[in-house]
Amino acid sequence: MLDWDNKPFPFKVYTDAPAIALPRDIDAIPAPTLAALAAAAPPARRLTLPALTALLYYTAGVTKKKTYPGGGEVLFRAAASTGALYQTEVYVVVGDVVDLAPGLYHFGPGDFTLRRLRGGDVREPLAAAAAEPSIRERAATLVLTGIFWRNTWKYQARGFRHLFWDSGTMLANALAVGGALGLTPSLVTGFVDDDVHRLLGLDTEREAALEL
């Protein structure tokens, strides 16, 4: 049986990090669904903060709220998650985004903010960890991580599979939306775990990087 008093909080919050409120007037993706899946949009000149905001919203944002009898509440996200537990977190390594300083950020879907965890351009160590030189030139890289307990609270050992199923639905959204916005996204699944974890400052007993 589930211990409802021990259910994990669905959001990771860095309370001491400076927050940047993201614009909530998000435009609809300017491409039909099939065109978005085909990444048919012309390449964008620069990655802007509104475009990054749209990418984060359609990848991991809160899209609706449902309240159940007895006061239970679920905040649904743009990408489905097993048991609506949403164990996948999103970090953003920013190098060249219009109106956003370089640095490492955490995306908070609950209050729709970016919180800066590190200042300065950290693309070089991320590129080295992934042995992927193109990351040095990318305007931004999303880093998806999984918080184990948030899923294993309900699914126990099966949560290992759910880490990749659920982050996979987010990746599908990110690739489609990124293509529709002309951002030429690419996926990297191989990297030195310890180096990426050190860059993000993760407690690896509780959270691990999954994909870039």
Side-chain angles (χ1 to χ4, degrees):
M1 296 179 63
L2 293 174
D3 181 0
W4 290 99
D5 292 333
N6 199 26
K7 184 179 180 181
F9 188 63
F11 301 106
K12 184 176 185 181
V13 180
Y14 289 86
T15 56
D16 295 331
I20 300 172
L22 295 173
R24 292 185 178 271
D25 51 340
I26 300 167
D27 293 335
I29 296 301
T33 301
L34 292 179
L37 293 175
R45 293 183 179 180
R46 293 283 303 279
L47 177 56
T48 64
L49 183 57
L52 178 61
T53 298
L55 180 64
L56 292 170
Y57 174 76
Y58 289 112
T59 298
V62 173
T63 56
K64 69 176 181 177
K65 177 174 69 174
K66 184 173 183 179
T67 302
Y68 293 92
E73 182 180 84
V74 174
L75 299 177
F76 290 94
R77 313 280 184 97
S81 172
T82 49
L85 297 173
Y86 305 109
Q87 74 275 6
T88 311
E89 296 288 324
V90 180
Y91 299 80
V92 190
V93 172
V94 172
D96 185 19
V97 176
V98 178
D99 295 327
L100 186 62
L104 170 66
Y105 296 82
H106 174 260
F107 172 56
D111 57 2
F112 207 55
T113 61
L114 285 174
R115 284 184 164 82
R116 190 169 67 176
L117 309 182
R118 290 177 182 266
D121 193 340
V122 297
R123 289 179 292 181
E124 173 61 38
L126 187 63
E132 180 52 64
S134 67
I135 290 176
R136 298 186 184 98
E137 308 301 325
R138 290 275 172 177
T141 298
L142 306 186
V143 184
L144 272 57
T145 71
I147 295 180
F148 312 133
W149 173 241
R150 207 181 282 169
N151 195 271
T152 57
W153 167 80
K154 180 176 183 179
Y155 293 106
Q156 301 181 35
R158 194 171 183 83
F160 179 78
R161 293 185 177 185
H162 295 171
L163 289 173
F164 296 98
W165 287 354
D166 292 357
S167 63
T169 64
M170 294 172 64
L171 289 171
N173 283 15
L175 291 169
V177 172
L181 292 173
L183 301 179
T184 61
S186 63
L187 174 63
V188 177
T189 58
F191 45 82
V192 180
D193 294 43
D194 288 347
D195 292 351
V196 174
H197 295 159
R198 192 178 304 111
L199 180 66
L200 300 183
L202 302 184
D203 177 354
T204 55
E205 293 293 318
R206 295 175 171 82
E207 184 178 4
L210 302 174
E211 302 100 5
L212 314 178

